[in-house]
Amino acid sequence: MCLGGGLALDSGLDTNRNDVLDAGEVTATELLECNFAPQVRALHASPDAPAVNIWVNGAPALTNVDFGVGSGFLAGVEEVNVQVEGIFPGDDPAVLDADAVVIEADLSLDYNTDYTILAVNNVIDGEGNITIRPLIIENPSDERLTPGSLFAQVVHASPSAPPVDVYVTTPGADLGASAPVNEEPLAFERYTPRLEVLAGNYQIRVTLAGDPDAVVYDSGELPLAAGGDLLIAAVQNVGLGDSAVQLVALDGAGSLPLLDAATPAAAVAVHLSPDAPPVDILADDLATANDDALRLATNVAFTEYCVIDGIPAPANYELNVVATADNNVPALPAPIAFDAVKDGAATVIVSGFFSSGMPSITALPLSVDPRSVATEARVRVTHASPSTGNVDLYLLAEGTDLDSPDVTPNFPAVPFGADTGILSIPPGFYDVYVTPAGDKSIRAIEVTGFELAGYDVLDIVARDPGAEEGPLPLPLVIDYDEIAECTVAAPM
């Protein structure tokens, strides 16, 4: 059936001989021409926006779509209302919140046309104005591909990146002798025509406009299969590495991130062992037979933390934490296994005690998502004080009476080494309490009037005190926007 009409050839036997092929006499139908129903797909390309729901004509079409994620094609109708709803902390995702709709568009869709709707730009500008908006790209759906070919189209969807040139070449081709696929510099929200290219292995490189030597993204060798209908969006790099953009490919069925070939892994090292000396962190690449002793960080002291950037990935490592004064003295009884994946990150807390007769020193690994969101603070609380038993964690609106019988812990009876997971918190002022499990009378940690703002990405860690800091655990707040890089000195 052609919903939009077309041309069909019916065949059968005219049994009643009225020179008309009646409906009951049709035995076969061949579609000679068909108007294809419009199709719609979406991509979340707003780097500081929360995950979103997408509603079409008042019904949920896509739910919990995060940044860099796109959908496959959905069958459309001629007249549609599209609403993009930001998911704010505490929202019921099954109910449309009109106040949270950041994009709304009424569209008249044509048959034989595919539509891609990108949510682009930052949520708000420096003056507090909402600047997120839709970018709609239309392509005919009735064009036929040459066998052995694919369609490819590139769109600049990164608000922080300047105009660029995009090269799709054979692997290793000299860009100085190649032509970009865009005829004019590709500025934000501009896109190339949909191109037909032969299937094969390609290398996609993005450079500053007019300067083929200034490569800001390099896919490495990339196989592109025949029959594909790709829209490749250059979105803002909110992860690791120095690339200004990353690519996301929409293939009609879903989306696939295309990371820069040089995208590294990273780790945040946190020293919270009160009696351990300053330490160095050494890595052994398990792909080699020798003990590499790659030096990642030097002289990290108690309560200090730093980020180790640029760890080559993918690779499997063993991390050895050793005394700075003598690298032959291990601070941990065994190496830490670290599987480095592109754009992957981990925070590793070294806690416990170095001396004998105390809770042994141990490593607590945590995953990291460094993307900040305009509408929420992203917070995690970790129990990393081995001298403290199970604790109750409270995160309360500022001024809440902790002693009220109606106030119960947000996270009860949390054991050493456990964490809350990453929480999405509405911006505001809060009181944070850590108490022994079931006992409000002892406030092991009390932080009142603590401001959580949009864009915050924080780890709050309950740690053991040092020798002169008293008996109770203390908080360590790690702000991922302000972490210094680890220093690396030559071996002593």
Side-chain angles (χ1 to χ4, degrees), residues 76 87 125 140 161 177 274 364 414 444 475:
I87 301 175
D125 62 17
L364 305 176
V414 178

Side-chain angles (χ1 to χ4, degrees), residues 183-281:
E183 296 180 358
E184 299 290 335
L186 207 60
F188 176 51
E189 298 183 282
R190 305 285 293 184
Y191 47 91
T192 68
R194 190 173 66 172
L195 307 173
E196 182 175 321
V197 296
L198 290 174
N201 291 336
Y202 289 89
Q203 186 175 6
I204 301 175
R205 281 167 285 185
V206 180
T207 74
L208 297 181
D211 186 356
D213 293 327
V215 177
V216 297
Y217 170 88
D218 184 349
S219 71
E221 187 168 339
L222 186 68
L224 298 179
D229 187 355
L230 300 181
L231 185 141
I232 300 172
V235 300
Q236 187 164 316
N237 179 20
V238 298
L240 307 174
D242 297 328
S243 175
V245 297
Q246 297 289 10
L247 301 190
V248 178
L250 299 179
D251 62 3
S255 62
L256 176 69
L258 303 176
L259 297 176
D260 188 288
T263 301
V268 177
V270 188
H271 185 334
L272 293 183
S273 174
D275 66 341
V279 297
D280 295 349
I281 300 174

Side-chain angles (χ1 to χ4, degrees), residues 104-489:
E104 183 165 7
D106 292 307
L107 304 177
S108 295
L109 305 183
D110 295 328
Y111 281 84
N112 299 327
T113 306
D114 292 338
Y115 297 84
T116 302
I117 304 174
L118 298 89
V120 297
N121 213 8
N122 294 308
V123 174
I124 56 176
D125 62 17
E127 299 178 353
N129 301 308
I130 295 178
T131 53
I132 186 173
R133 54 182 175 264
L135 173 62
I136 301 173
I137 300 174
E138 302 177 18
N139 285 300
S141 58
D142 57 351
E143 289 185 351
R144 297 292 179 261
L145 264 174
T146 303
S149 298
L150 69 144
F151 286 130
Q153 186 172 28
V154 181
V155 55
H156 185 328
S158 173
S160 67
V164 298
D165 290 329
V166 179
Y167 294 82
V168 181
T169 69
T170 57
D174 179 9
L175 294 189
S178 304
V181 297
N182 50 290
E183 296 180 358
E184 299 290 335
L186 207 60
F188 176 51
E189 298 183 282
R190 305 285 293 184
Y191 47 91
T192 68
R194 190 173 66 172
L195 307 173
E196 182 175 321
V197 296
L198 290 174
N201 291 336
Y202 289 89
Q203 186 175 6
I204 301 175
R205 281 167 285 185
V206 180
T207 74
L208 297 181
D211 186 356
D213 293 327
V215 177
V216 297
Y217 170 88
D218 184 349
S219 71
E221 187 168 339
L222 186 68
L224 298 179
D229 187 355
L230 300 181
L231 185 141
I232 300 172
V235 300
Q236 187 164 316
N237 179 20
V238 298
L240 307 174
D242 297 328
S243 175
V245 297
Q246 297 289 10
L247 301 190
V248 178
L250 299 179
D251 62 3
S255 62
L256 176 69
L258 303 176
L259 297 176
D260 188 288
T263 301
V268 177
V270 188
H271 185 334
L272 293 183
S273 174
D275 66 341
V279 297
D280 295 349
I281 300 174
L282 311 179
D284 177 19
D285 186 346
L286 298 183
T288 64
N290 298 326
D291 183 358
D292 302 283
L294 304 172
R295 192 168 297 275
L296 301 181
T298 304
N299 200 30
V300 183
F302 175 55
T303 73
E304 292 183 347
Y305 56 89
C306 59
V307 62
I308 304 167
D309 274 329
I311 301 174
N316 297 318
Y317 297 92
E318 283 187 345
L319 304 183
N320 293 281
V321 182
V322 298
T324 297
D326 184 353
N327 283 180
N328 294 314
V329 177
L332 282 175
I336 303 169
F338 181 69
D339 296 331
V341 297
K342 287 183 181 295
D343 211 35
T347 290
V348 181
I349 300 170
V350 174
S351 183
F353 288 85
F354 186 66
S355 59
S356 59
M358 302 290 285
S360 61
I361 196 167
T362 188
L364 305 176
L366 302 170
S367 62
V368 173
D369 180 359
R371 184 173 83 92
S372 58
V373 176
T375 55
E376 65 191 48
R378 310 182 78 184
V379 180
R380 174 173 51 200
V381 183
T382 302
H383 182 347
S385 172
S387 298
T388 306
N390 291 0
V391 298
D392 291 338
L393 302 179
Y394 297 83
L395 182 63
L396 308 174
E398 184 182 22
T400 301
D401 182 6
L402 177 65
D403 294 321
S404 169
D406 296 331
V407 175
T408 58
N410 302 82
F411 297 90
V414 178
F416 169 71
D419 65 85
T420 62
I422 298 174
L423 309 173
S424 297
I425 307 296
F429 290 88
Y430 293 86
D431 296 338
V432 180
Y433 300 97
V434 178
T435 71
D439 184 1
K440 294 182 179 180
S441 65
I442 300 175
R443 301 180 182 183
I445 292 177
E446 178 177 359
V447 182
T448 58
F450 183 63
E451 183 178 11
L452 295 177
Y455 296 105
D456 279 347
V457 181
L458 306 176
D459 262 319
I460 302 175
V461 185
R463 65 172 178 86
D464 271 337
E468 299 179 358
E469 292 182 305
L472 296 178
L474 295 169
L476 177 75
V477 178
I478 300 173
D479 185 338
Y480 283 86
D481 282 338
E482 299 179 354
I483 300 180
E485 290 189 14
C486 295
T487 57
V488 180

